[in-house]
C-alpha cells in the first residue's frame, strides 16, 4: 500500500494496465446504459450509470495523466450532466453523439501509450467536442477543449487563493455535537467551494455501523481570499475531533519550489480539461508531483468503494492458468494410472485410496477448467450497439433478442468468435431482414427480430444467430452454384446441403449473387474461421421465414469425458456426449460386399457405418466379436465399427503437433493410465468423412440409400438415445 | 425495476440515529434498494451517514441504493456533501 516503496514510474506502469482494463469495463457499462436509455429515455438509473461510468473514466484517466482522454471525456460528461439535471432533453442527436463519444473514448484509450496523440484522433475529439457543446448551446462553448491556456485558469482564479482542504472527522465528532456539515456550510459562507467531495469510504456497512460515531469527512477545493491559518481557524473548535490537511493549489510563482510548480502545471492542465474557469481538480494535482505522497494515498483511499467490489475478483495472468490446467491434466492421467496399478495389485485398500484420489482430482479438474470459462454474454452485449447502428443506417427496425448469455465457454474462444459472429449479425441485418415496408407487404410484423442464442449441447457450445427475414432463395443458390461449377449439373442436393452452399469458397465474391440471394458475403471466411476453431457452421433457412446460422464449437478444454475403444492395437477415444449406443455389428454389415463401409438398419432407420480400421488402415483383431458404436452429430447418426469397447475414460487432450495437422478426423491424442497413446476422434469430421465415403456418386457399387445421408435424422437419433 | 419503494420519515439526526439503524438494517436485509425520503423533515451528517452505510451494505451485495423524492432538506445535505441520489460522490461543482 505504501507508495514510497516504489517510484512513481513503477506505480504508474503497473497501475496503467489495470486502469485500461477498468476503463474498458466502464466503457461497456457506459454503452449498455446508453442503449437502455435509447430504448427508454426516462430511465434515470441508466443515465446515472452512464454518468458514473464516464466520470470514473475521466477520474482515473486524470490519475494516469491521460489528458487527452480526460479532456474529451469531460465534454461527454458535461452532456450527460445536462441530461441528468433535466436542463437538456435526450434526443437522437444527443444519443448519437454519446455513442460516438464512447467510440472516441475507446480510441483515445487505445492511444494513451503514445506520448503525443494521433493528430487524426485529436481532430476527431475536437469535432465531437464541438458537436456536443454546440448541441448544448453557446453556454458551454468556452469549455472547448484543445490546448490548455494556463493564463486563462490563472486569470479566472483572480486574487483568490485556491486551497485543497481535507477534513476527516474523529469518531466522537458527532457525539460531541460537531456536524461536518456545519463546517461545509461555514466554509461556503466564507469563500467559494469550487468542488467538494465527501469522503464516504470510511463508513462501514450498516450491520457494522455505530450510528453515533462519525466516519465522515470531505475534501474540498476551496477558493477564498484567506490564508492557511484562516482556514485552520475555521476548524479550530473541532481541533480534537478533526484531522485537517490543507494544501495550497494556488497557481502563483510566490509559493515556492519545484513540487508546487508541478502542482501548478497539473492544476492548470486539469483546469483546462475540466471546465476551465473554475473547476480545478485537486486530485490530479495530488498525484503527479513526487512531494505529495499523502495526497496520492488519499486518492487511493478515495477509490476504495470500487476496490471493495474488485476484491471479489482476482486478476490472474492467462499463462499461469494454462500452466495450472496443464498440471491438472497430468494429475488426471497420473491418478488414472494409479487406479490401474491399484486394480492390478488387487489391493482393496489401495484401490479405495486411488478411487478417492481420482474423485478429488476430477473435482479439481472441474474447478480448474471453470476458472478459464467466461460467459458469452459479454460478446453478445456488444451487438446491441451494432444492431442499433446498422439498423438505423439501413432504415430497418430490428429487435435484438439474446438468450443464453450466461453460457460459458473458454475465454480464449470468447475473443476469437467475436469477429465471425459480427459478420453473421451484419449479414442478417444487411441481407436477411427486410425493410419495414417489405415486411408489412409479406404480412410480417414491421419490426424484424434478430436472435442470438447460446447453449451447451453434447460437450459443445452451440451459438445460433437467427433472423426472421426473407430466408435463402435456394433456386437461385443452386443456379449460381451450377454456373460457378461448385455443383455439377446432375448432382442432386438436399435443401440442407443447398443452404450450406453459400459458405462455399468462391460463392461469396460474386456480387450479383449477393444482391439476388441476399446472402453470402464472406460466409466462406466465417466458416473457415469457425472451422479453424474445430467448430462447424450450418445454415438452416426457410424461404420467407428466416435463416438460422448455427455454430458449434468444442469447449476446447483440454479435458473431456471420453469413451475408449480400440481397433487392433490402436486406442480411440470418442467424446462421451456423442456416443448414443453400442451394439454388436449387425448382420447387414457382414452381407455387405465391402465390409468396411456401407449402411445398416437400426430399428428401421438406415444409417451409414464406417469401420474405424479403415481410417488408419489398422489391421483388425483377428478374434473376438466386434462392436458398432452409434454416434450422433447434428442431423447425422453414424455407426463406427471397432474391435473392443473399454468404457468411460477421463481424457486429457494433448494437441497433435503440426506434423499431424493434415490428419482428418483426429482431434488430438491422449495418454492412457497404462502409458499408451490413444487418439481422440474428431467425430464431426469423421462423420462427414463417412457420409462422403458412402455417397453413391462416389462409390457406385453401394446401394443408394433411401434418403440422403446427411438428412438422416433426428428421429433415428431420438429413438437411439 | 419492479422494486418495492420503502418510505423513510422523521428526523434523521444524531439524536435519533441510534433508533433508526435497526429498522433500516431490516429493510436493507429484506432487499430494499429504493427509498422514498420525501417524509424526512430533518437530516444531518449522522442521518446521511446511516444512508451511506446502508448503501455500503447494499453494495457489498452488489446492489445500488437509490433515494427518490428527496425533499429540500435532504437535497441540501446531498449537495453539501457532493453526492448524488445513489450517494455516490459526485465531482460536481458546488457554488456558494
Amino acid at each position: 500500500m505504501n507508495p514510497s516503496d516504489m517510484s512513481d514510474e513503477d506505480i504508474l506502469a503497473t497501475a496503467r494496465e489495470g486502469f485500461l482494463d477498468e476503463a474498458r469495463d466502464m466503457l461497456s457499462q457506459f454503452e449498455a446504459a446508453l442503449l437502455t436509455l435509447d430504448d427508454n429515455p426516462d430511465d434515470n438509473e441508466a443515465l446515472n450509470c452512464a454518468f458514473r461510468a464516464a466520470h470514473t473514466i475521466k477520474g482515473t484517466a486524470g490519475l494516469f495523466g491521460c489528458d487527452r482522454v480526460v479532456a474529451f471525456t469531460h465534454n461527454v460528461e458535461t452532456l450527460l450532466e445536462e441530461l441528468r439535471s433535466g436542463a437538456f432533453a435526450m434526443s437522437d442527436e444527443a444519443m448519437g453523439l454519446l455513442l460516438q463519444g464512447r467510440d472516441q473514448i475507446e480510441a483515445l484509450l487505445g492511444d494513451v501509450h503514445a506520448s503525443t496523440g494521433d493528430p487524426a484522433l485529436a481532430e476527431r475529439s475536437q469535432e465531437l467536442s464541438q458537436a456536443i457543446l454546440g448541441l448544448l448551446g453557446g453556454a458551454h462553448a468556452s469549455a472547448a477543449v484543445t490546448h490548455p491556456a494556463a493564463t486563462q485558469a490563472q486569470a479566472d482564479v483572480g486574487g483568490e487563493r485556491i486551497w485543497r482542504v481535507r477534513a476527516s472527522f474523529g469518531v466522537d465528532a458527532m457525539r460531541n455535537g460537531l456536524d461536518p456539515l456545519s463546517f461545509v456550510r461555514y466554509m461556503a459562507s466564507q469563500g467559494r467551494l469550487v468542488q467538494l467531495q465527501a469522503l464516504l469510504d470510511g463508513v462501514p456497512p450498516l450491520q457494522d455501523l455505530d450510528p453515533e460515531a462519525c466516519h465522515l469527512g470531505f475534501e474540498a477545493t476551496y477558493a477564498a481570499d484567506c490564508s492557511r491559518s484562516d482556514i485552520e481557524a475555521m476548524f479550530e473548535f473541532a481541533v480534537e475531533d478533526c484531522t485537517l490537511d490543507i494544501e495550497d493549489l494556488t497557481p502563483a510563482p510566490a509559493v515556492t519550489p519545484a513540487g508546487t510548480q508541478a502542482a501548478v502545471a497539473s492544476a492548470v492542465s486539469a483546469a483546462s480539461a475540466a471546465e476551465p474557469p473554475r473547476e480545478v481538480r485537486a486530485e490530479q494535482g495530488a498525484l503527479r508531483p513526487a512531494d505529495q505522497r499523502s495526497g496520492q494515498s488519499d486518492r487511493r483511499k478515495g477509490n476504495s468503494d470500487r476496490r471493495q467490489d474488485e476484491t471479489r475478483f482476482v486478476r490472474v495472468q492467462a499463462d499461469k492458468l494454462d500452466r495450472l490446467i496443464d498440471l491438472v491434466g497430468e494429475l488426471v492421467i497420473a491418478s488414472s494410472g494409479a487406479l490401474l496399478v491399484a486394480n492390478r495389485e488387487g489391493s482393496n485398500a489401495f484401490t479405495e485410496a486411488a478411487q478417492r484420489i481420482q474423485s478429488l482430482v476430477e473435482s479439481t479438474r472441474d474447478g480448474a477448467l471453470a476458472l478459464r470459462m467466461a460467459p458469452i454474454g459479454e460478446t453478445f452485449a456488444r451487438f446491441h450497439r451494432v444492431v442499433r447502428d446498422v439498423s438505423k443506417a439501413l432504415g430497418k427496425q430490428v429487435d435484438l433478442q439474446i438468450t443464453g448469455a450466461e453460457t460459458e465457454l473458454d475465454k480464449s474462444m470468447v475473443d476469437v468468435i467475436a469477429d465471425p459472429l459480427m459478420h453473421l449479425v451484419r449479414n442478417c441485418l444487411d441481407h436477411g431482414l427486410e425493410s419495414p415496408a417489405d415486411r408489412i407487404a409479406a404480412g410480417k410484423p414491421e419490426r424484424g427480430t434478430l436472435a442470438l442464442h447460446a447453449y451447451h449441447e453434447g460437450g459443445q457450445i452451440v451459438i445460433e444467430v437467427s433472423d426472421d427475414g426473407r430466408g435463402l432463395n435456394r433456386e437461385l443458390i443452386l443456379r449460381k452454384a451450377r454456373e460457378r461449377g461448385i455443383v455439377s449439373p446432375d448432382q442432386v442436393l438436399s435443401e440442407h446441403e443447398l443452404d450450406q452452399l453459400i459458405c462455399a469458397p468462391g460463392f461469396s465474391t460474386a456480387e450479383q449473387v449477393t444482391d439476388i440471394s441476399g446472402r453470402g458475403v464472406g460466409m466462406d471466411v466465417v466458416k473457415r474461421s469457425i472451422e479453424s476453431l474445430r467448430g462447424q457452421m450450418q445454415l438452416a433457412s426457410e424461404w420467407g421465414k428466416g435463416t438460422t446460422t448455427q455454430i458449434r464449437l468444442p469447449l476446447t478444454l483440454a479435458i473431456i469425458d471420453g469413451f475408449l475403444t480400440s481397433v487392433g492395437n490402436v486406442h480411440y477415444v470418442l467424446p462421451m456426449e456423442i456416443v448414443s449406443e453400442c451394439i454388436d455389428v449387425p448382420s447387414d454389415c457382414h452381407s455387405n460386399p465391402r465390409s468396411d463401409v456401407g449402411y445398416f438398419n437400426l430399428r428401421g432407420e438406415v444409417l451409414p457405418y464406417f469401420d474405424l480400421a479403415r481410417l488408419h488402415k489398422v489391421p483388425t483383431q483377428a478374434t473376438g466379436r466386434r462392436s458398432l458404436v452409434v454416434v450422433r452429430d447434428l442431423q447425422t447418426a453414424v455407426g463406427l465399427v471397432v474391435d473392443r469397447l473399454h468404457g468411460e475414460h477421463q481424457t486429457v487432450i494433448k494437441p497433435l503437433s503440426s506434423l499431424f495437422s493434415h490428419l482428418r478426423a483426429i482431434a488430438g491424442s491422449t495418454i492412457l493410465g497404462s502409458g499408451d497413446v490413444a487418439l481422440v476422434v474428431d467425430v464431426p469430421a469423421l462423420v462427414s468423412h463417412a457420409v462422403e465415403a458412402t455417397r453413391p456418386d462416389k462409390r457406385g457399387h453401394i446401394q443408394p440409400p433411401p434418403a440422403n445421408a446427411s438428412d438422416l435424422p433426428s428421429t433415428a437419433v431420438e429413438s437411439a438415445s | 425495476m419492479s422494486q418495492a419503494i420503502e418510505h423513510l420519515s422523521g428526523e434523521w439526526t444524531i439524536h435519533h440515529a441510534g433508533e433508526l439503524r435497526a429498522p433500516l438494517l431490516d429493510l436493507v436485509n429484506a432487499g430494499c434498494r429504493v427509498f422514498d425520503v420525501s417524509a424526512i423533515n430533518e437530516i444531518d451528517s449522522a442521518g446521511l451517514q446511516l444512508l451511506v452505510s446502508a448503501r455500503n451494505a447494499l453494495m457489498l451485495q452488489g446492489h445500488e441504493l437509490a433515494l427518490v423524492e428527496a425533499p429540500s432538506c435532504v437535497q441540501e445535505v446531498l449537495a453539501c456533501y457532493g453526492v448524488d441520489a445513489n450517494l455516490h460522490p459526485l465531482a460536481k461543482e458546488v457554488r456558494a
Side-chain angles (χ1 to χ4, degrees), chain A residues 397-475:
Chain A
Q397 298 182 2
V398 183
D399 286 327
L400 177 63
Q401 282 177 0
I402 290 181
T403 43
E406 70 290 343
T407 311
E408 292 192 318
L409 78 166
D410 195 284
K411 180 79 178 107
S412 54
M413 287 286 231
V414 171
D415 300 337
V416 185
I417 56 160
D419 278 349
L421 276 181
M422 177 71 81
H423 213 114
L424 291 174
V425 166
R426 279 178 171 279
N427 250 358
C428 285
L429 291 168
D430 280 347
H431 308 298
L433 291 162
E434 315 90 327
S435 65
D438 288 354
R439 290 185 64 88
I440 291 170
K444 292 199 249 186
E446 193 181 356
R447 295 186 74 82
T449 304
L450 176 67
L452 291 170
H453 182 40
Y455 56 96
H456 282 289
E457 190 185 88
Q460 293 182 307
I461 178 163
V462 183
I463 302 167
E464 289 176 353
V465 181
S466 51
D467 63 62
D468 63 349
R470 55 171 76 95
L472 299 171
N473 187 338
R474 297 203 179 93
E475 276 172 41

Side-chain angles (χ1 to χ4, degrees), chain A residues 178 235-243:
Chain A
L178 298 172
F235 289 85
E236 196 171 17
F237 63 98
V239 76
E240 282 180 14
D241 289 312
C242 175
T243 322

Side-chain angles (χ1 to χ4, degrees), chain A residues 540-588:
Chain A
S541 172
E542 198 172 337
W543 177 238
K545 295 266 180 67
T547 309
T548 298
T549 309
Q550 190 185 63
I551 295 172
R552 290 180 161 259
L553 292 167
L555 298 174
T556 50
L557 287 174
I559 304 169
I560 58 166
D561 278 327
F563 185 74
L564 187 62
T565 63
S566 63
V567 176
N569 54 4
V570 181
H571 288 88
Y572 290 97
V573 175
L574 304 166
M576 198 63 182
E577 293 88 356
I578 56 125
V579 174
S580 75
E581 66 180 305
C582 302
I583 54 174
D584 283 346
V585 174
S587 53
D588 314 19

